[in-house]
Each structure stands twice: as structure tokens, then as C-alpha cells.
DNA sequence: ATAGACCTAGACTGTACAGTCTAACCTACA
DNA sequence: TGTAGGTTAGACTGTACAGTCTAGGTCTAT
């Protein structure tokens, strides 16, 4: 493969920065797609359009490269919940919006790949598991818990233990859908949506607050 | 092509059967412990106290061995839910018992290992994912759904969609605990138990049947 | 005893990979 | 122009592995 790519403009920093970025980005994609063991340094080099030696100039080892990638990956993995309750929206609408966005995220190919990667490698890279949990899941739980606490304070909900309820909500909403996705089963979006709605309704039946105007409590 | 060579009645066929069993058992343990890629045929042979050639006499390839192991693994993976509602037990007690046993199973090292393996390999062995889902998860869901349906018929519960509710229940009960386990985080049994109880209570708040003072008989 | 089915040990082939080393090469900059 | 930093292709080492092949060993039924 003849190298000689277009001459780098000066001013965008040292060539090494650009190269390093390309390596990181390419390697991240490959690790997600093929796992740690399934991704050779040669492949990363080829895909990034870079010599293998260049990778070793930038990173001490394949493992070091993986670790370097990981924190970044973990950070962007769990986008913050779109938790802002809109002013006029009902609690059900707010939770549904939130659930839908969370499910969509959790079922996206990128997130499923990340999940697969982490589950598979957490044994060899224990701090990786802790990182994903801490910067990802735990943070999302905390955000949602705050939202539920606020909803309770305002009387729209009746949640005694917001952290536990948040975990229950997220588990219920993603649980089986995500499992099916990981198992390679199809996830028709209509069905996903139905399941999401049902989960939200179950959650609301369990945690509905004091009756609101126009919302008769009597329900047998 | 697993065990199709038994044309002669030779009676016992002792050596090969025993050998084959040892290989299967050893390989299953190693695959669970170290994953498919992390387990070499040499290692299996050594661990099983068998020559490598013997493995190749019994199985066409490492992959064939893996597949042969898998159905067995999938079968014993999800023990049937101890779903029998005891006569005198309250619904809460029954669900709690069920939840506890399910959680204990899901968090057991063997099941976490299986889960890890399946999640990691479902890409390369798609039918593996389908098998685990079908013989495992889907079956458990069906059982629990039947139980919920029966509870609803008796008026102890009010579940409109038993399948969906069963998935919600199982997701809620195992969701985060299992995730934490997979991530290598400690799972203090006291905390697991608390979370389990909370999940059961949430479920019951959502699906509690009509008040049961005299247990009004519901016929349909 | 002997034949056949099964087993063992280990040599062997071919492949893939991590990581090192070298020598040439490009670009910037003094 | 020359030097320095970074890059490149590719050769090289050592390891691990899947899978084959061979030569001989063990057990069992006839």
C-alpha cells in the first residue's frame, strides 16, 4: 500500500496527534466490533492506515491501547438521560420519553457492542467493569432517582426509595429487550415500543402519587 | 453427528463413552471459565486426562465440540422456576420465594459464566443465542406467566398481560444485580436480598388483585 | 492368540499473532 | 542544507494454537 497521503497542513498540531487520534478511533471501532481478542494490532494498523510500529510508538502495548480507549468509550457510552421533565408534560409522558430514549440507546448497535465487550473482558480488565458501572449505569440511576425524588416531592409520584425504584425502572424497561438484542434476536421496533409502554405503566401503577385532578383513583 | 456411531451392540462401548463424557464435562467447565477463544484444545485434553487426538476422534473440530456442549449447557442452564405456589402461602411469599431462587441462580458463578460466554459468542454462533433464549429465558417467562395468570384467575393478582408482566418481574428482580455481578462488583447477599424484596413489593403494588378479605371468587 | 476398536504421546504443518528492530523516508524548521 | 522528530514497510523472533499423522499401547471378544 503506497502511503504518501496528502501532505499534512501544518498548524493542526504535530502529526503525532493526528495519527494518535486515528489509531484510537479505529481501534475503538474494531474492539467494539470484534472484541479484544478478535482484533489484532496488524488489523488496527491497516484499518487506520498506519504502520504497526507507529502504534507501538504511541502505546506501550495492545493492552495499553485498549485501556486508553476504554475510559473514553465508557464516558460516551451512557449519554445522560434526557431527564428534564417538561413543564406541561404529564408524569407518564415524561417517563415514557425517558424510557424510549433509554431503550433506544441501550439497543443501539454501538451500545450492544460495548456491552458485549465489557461483559466479555470484565474478567481480564476488572477496573473496566467498575468504570463502566460507575460512569455509566450508576450515574444514570442517580439522575433518574433525582427525578423520581422530585416527582415525589411534587406529589406526582409516591416513591419511598428512589434509587431502588430507578434501578427497577431501568431494568424493567431495558431488561428483556436488551437480552434479546444481545442474543441476536430481532427486535421489531413496534414490539419494543409496546413493551416500553407496558413497563412504564407498570411502574406508574406501583408508584402513582396522590390522585391528581381529573384522575380518579378508583381502579379495580 | 455427535454420537451417531453406535452400530454394534458391543454392549458397553465403555471406554469411548467414558472418555467422551470426560471431554464434554471438562470442556464445558473450561469454556465457561475461560471463554471459547481462551480455551485451547490442548488444555482441554490435558485437563481431561486425554490425548488431543482422542478429542479429534470424538469431535470433528473444536467448534463441533463447542456446539455439542452447548445444547446440554443451555438445557441445564435455566432450572425451572420453583413456581409451585404453596397452598397456604400468600402471594407475596410465593413471589418472594420465586424471586429469591431466581436471583440466586442468576448470580451463581456458573450462570454468570454462561451468560458471559453466550453474550460474547452469540455473534459467532447465532443459533447459540437463540437456543439459550428459547430453552432458557423464554421458558422461564412462560412458566411465570402461567403462574401470574392463575393468580389473576384466583383474584390474588390483577395482571392483564401475564407474559409482559413476567418479563418485567424477572427483569426487575435480576437486572442490576446481575449487571453488577457481570461487572465484577461485589454483591453482598444482604443487599441482594433487600433489592429482591423491594422489587417484589413494587411488582405487587402494580399488580395487586382486588382486596382479599373474603377472597371474592372471580369466575369468568 | 489375535484382530479390531480404542487410546496415547508426540512430532509435524501451517497459521496467526505480539512485539522488536532496521533502514529508508517525509516534513518542519533552523 | 542539514538535523531532528515522526512515519513507513517489512523482516524478524518467539509464542500459541488448530488440526494431521504416525507409531505404538491397551483392552476385549472371539
Amino acid at each position: 500500500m503506497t502511503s504518501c497521503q496528502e501532505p499534512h497542513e501544518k498548524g493542526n498540531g504535530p502529526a503525532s496527534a493526528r495519527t494518535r487520534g486515528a489509531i484510537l478511533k479505529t481501534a475503538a471501532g474494531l474492539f467494539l466490533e470484534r472484541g479484544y481478542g478478535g482484533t489484532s494490532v496488524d488489523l488496527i494498523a491497516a484499518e487506520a492506515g498506519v504502520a504497526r510500529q507507529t502504534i507501538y510508538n504511541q502505546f506501550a502495548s495492545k493492552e495499553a491501547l485498549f485501556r486508553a480507549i476504554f475510559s473514553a468509550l465508557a464516558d460516551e457510552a451512557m449519554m445522560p438521560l434526557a431527564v428534564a421533565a417538561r413543564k406541561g408534560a404529564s408524569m407518564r409522558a415524561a417517563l415514557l420519553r425517558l424510557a424510549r430514549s433509554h431503550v433506544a440507546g441501550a439497543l443501539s448497535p454501538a451500545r450492544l457492542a460495548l456491552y458485549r465487550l465489557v461483559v466479555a473482558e470484565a474478567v481480564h480488565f476488572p477496573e473496566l467493569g467498575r468504570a463502566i458501572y460507575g460512569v455509566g449505569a450508576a450515574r444514570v440511576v442517580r439522575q433518574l432517582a433525582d427525578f423520581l425524588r422530585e416527582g415525589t416531592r411534587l406529589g406526582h409520584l409516591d416513591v419511598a426509595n428512589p434509587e431502588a425504584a430507578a434501578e427497577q425502572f431501568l431494568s424493567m424497561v431495558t431488561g428483556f429487550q436488551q437480552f434479546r438484542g444481545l442474543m441476536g434476536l430481532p427486535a421489531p421496533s413496534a414490539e419494543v415500543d409496546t413493551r416500553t409502554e407496558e413497563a412504564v405503566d407498570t411502574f406508574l401503577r406501583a408508584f402513582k402519587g396522590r390522585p391528581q385532578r381529573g384522575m380518579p383513583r378508583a381502579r379495580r
Side-chain angles (χ1 to χ4, degrees), chain A residues 53-83:
Chain A
Q53 184 56 49
T54 303
I55 295 182
Y56 284 103
N57 288 346
Q58 298 283 343
F59 304 94
S61 64
K62 183 186 177 186
E63 189 179 318
L65 170 58
F66 185 71
R67 288 179 196 278
I69 279 168
F70 215 85
S71 49
L73 226 46
D75 274 341
E76 80 183 44
M78 298 258 177
M79 71 214 133
L81 278 179
V83 89

Side-chain angles (χ1 to χ4, degrees), chain A residues 36-139:
Chain A
Y36 181 74
T39 305
S40 71
V41 176
D42 274 312
L43 181 60
I44 298 170
E47 204 88 353
V50 132
R52 179 176 48 253
Q53 184 56 49
T54 303
I55 295 182
Y56 284 103
N57 288 346
Q58 298 283 343
F59 304 94
S61 64
K62 183 186 177 186
E63 189 179 318
L65 170 58
F66 185 71
R67 288 179 196 278
I69 279 168
F70 215 85
S71 49
L73 226 46
D75 274 341
E76 80 183 44
M78 298 258 177
M79 71 214 133
L81 278 179
V83 89
R86 291 188 174 162
K87 269 291 138 77
S90 72
M91 181 53 67
R92 179 170 191 278
L95 285 178
L96 196 51
R97 227 170 74 84
L98 195 148
R100 285 209 177 103
S101 102
H102 189 247
V103 166
L107 297 189
S108 70
R111 278 277 290 287
L112 287 179
L114 178 62
Y115 190 82
R116 254 189 281 265
L117 182 65
V118 174
V119 165
E121 302 303 336
V123 179
H124 305 287
F125 301 91
E127 79 282 14
L128 182 161
R130 254 170 279 136
I132 275 283
Y133 186 79
V135 312
R139 196 156 59 180

Side-chain angles (χ1 to χ4, degrees), chain A residues 91 95 148 151-152 155-159 203-204 207-210:
Chain A
M91 181 53 67
L95 285 178
L148 299 178
T152 300
H156 303 135
L157 292 173
D158 179 18
V159 178
F203 186 82
L204 280 174
F207 292 116
K208 202 158 22 191
R210 314 186 248 311

